[in-house]
Amino acid sequence: MGFTAQSGFVGFKTQTAQGTYLDPGAVSPNQGVFVRTRTGNLGIQRDLLIPDAEIGGNRDVSTAELGPVSFVGQYSFYPRMDSLPTLLQAALGVSVDTAVGTGTTLVGTHTINTTDTLPWLSVEEQIGNGLEVYNYTDTKVNAFGLSVVAKGYLEGTADLVAIRQTAGNTGTILANRGFDTSPQLVGTNVSVTFGGVTLPALELKFDIKNNLEVSDERLGSLYLGSVTEKRREITCTFKIRPTSNTLLRQAGYGTSAATAPGGSPTPGAVVIAMNTWEVIGTTVTTYSLTITAPVAIIKPHKVSP
């Protein structure tokens, strides 16, 4: 018999310290978030060490050993607002959370900012309907992306790196899987501005790359010593239908008023705003996300007829 992929699940919880697994399926209010995914999983990354041929030996490989181990993978999903803050915080650094109201009038706000050191995550992943249940400790988000087209749903990806994995665990029961079932977002409720001017965007892609060092193999250990953050890269790619030459000149010449190339670009703020059609509980407030890059520079580009 086979295993049904749709019966699998993945849950995340922010750790309080490196080396300590925190169960995403813990009882409320201490549970993590479980995300419905489209594809992906964390998997083992490990070399099989084979010695070189030896004079005096023969043509056959004499032995082999397993090298250091790490765990990497990518998940793709439709972002939902109740679970998205956990992944965004893991990708960027720190979140300040506030809330007003109670019960069906509860509205929370998560203000997420960048930090040099990223938080660790614990991950619980069940493969299929019983093939395996993995627990991952000391996991970081290496890359995170959001993309949307005008006539489509917002889509997301998260690339993860974990230091430790255990198998044969008991999966969280269905009643304790805090799946995020909040509304999805569509392109008709997404806008992009640069320098305070709304862009005539047809589609966009927002990416965070943390460029984690995942080669910290050390003598005397099977596991990575740590996962270290290198330079952070944040890019936003958008496809537009031009209505003027303003962006073309600013990107290629440095300013929108220039008629010949200059040497310095003019930065501006990029703001991506989106919200659902549905409201939160019994309030009149929709779920919303605003991404602000206060200093951004448009890369020189061409137009295509």
Side-chain angles (χ1 to χ4, degrees):
M1 59 172 285
F3 294 89
T4 304
Q6 198 168 19
S7 299
F9 59 83
V10 60
F12 305 95
K13 188 170 183 179
T14 305
Q15 294 177 196
T16 56
Q18 182 180 359
T20 303
Y21 179 81
L22 293 182
D23 184 8
V27 178
S28 178
N30 297 313
Q31 78 272 33
V33 294
F34 285 75
V35 178
R36 292 177 173 176
T37 58
R38 301 170 64 200
T39 60
N41 69 291
L42 278 168
I44 194 167
Q45 181 171 276
R46 194 174 199 184
D47 291 331
L48 182 65
L49 307 179
I50 299 174
D52 294 333
E54 300 172 289
I55 295 174
N58 56 44
R59 295 181 58 244
D60 298 316
V61 175
S62 59
T63 187
E65 303 289 349
L66 290 170
V69 61
S70 61
F71 308 92
V72 299
Q74 181 187 82
Y75 295 99
S76 66
F77 53 93
Y78 291 118
R80 290 177 166 89
M81 290 302 182
D82 285 342
S83 57
L84 189 57
T86 297
L87 292 175
L88 275 176
Q89 178 186 352
L92 290 172
V94 63
S95 178
V96 177
D97 306 325
T98 60
V100 295
T102 58
T104 60
T105 65
L106 178 65
V107 176
T109 300
H110 309 274
T111 303
I112 300 169
N113 287 297
T114 58
T115 57
D116 289 341
T117 302
L118 299 176
W120 298 100
L121 292 176
S122 293
V123 182
E124 179 186 358
E125 180 181 57
Q126 176 173 300
I127 307 297
N129 55 336
L131 176 63
E132 191 60 275
V133 178
Y134 294 118
N135 289 348
Y136 296 91
T137 307
D138 297 341
T139 306
K140 287 190 176 183
V141 173
N142 195 16
F144 181 85
L146 296 173
S147 62
V148 67
V149 298
K151 59 179 181 180
Y153 283 96
L154 180 71
E155 300 178 7
T157 57
D159 293 47
L160 275 61
V161 178
I163 294 181
R164 294 180 181 272
Q165 175 202 68
T166 61
N169 302 285
T170 300
T172 297
I173 62 174
L174 180 59
N176 289 345
R177 296 176 208 161
F179 276 114
D180 183 0
T181 58
S182 58
Q184 296 172 240
L185 297 101
V186 291
T188 51
N189 277 5
V190 179
S191 65
V192 186
T193 65
F194 177 75
V197 178
T198 300
L199 302 180
L202 308 177
E203 58 186 70
L204 73 84
K205 193 172 190 304
F206 173 79
D207 288 296
I208 303 165
K209 293 182 180 179
N210 286 312
N211 292 310
L212 300 178
E213 180 186 352
V214 293
S215 57
D216 189 14
E217 296 96 353
R218 303 185 184 184
L219 295 175
S221 175
L222 292 173
Y223 301 101
L224 297 178
S226 188
V227 175
T228 305
E229 300 83 351
K230 299 299 185 180
R231 170 172 286 188
R232 177 173 35 240
E233 301 174 63
I234 299 178
T235 59
C236 181
T237 304
F238 43 83
K239 181 178 180 180
I240 65 171
R241 187 175 298 279
T243 56
S244 72
N245 60 13
T246 300
L247 290 179
L248 188 64
R249 289 193 184 186
Q250 183 164 339
Y253 290 174
T255 69
S256 58
T259 57
S264 298
T266 302
V270 170
V271 178
I272 304 170
M274 60 190 76
N275 62 274
T276 62
W277 290 108
E278 297 84 354
V279 298
I280 301 172
T282 58
T283 72
V284 295
T285 304
T286 60
Y287 296 84
S288 63
L289 171 66
T290 301
I291 300 172
T292 302
V295 180
I297 296 174
I298 300 179
K299 185 178 179 180
H301 60 277
K302 300 177 181 179
V303 293
S304 300

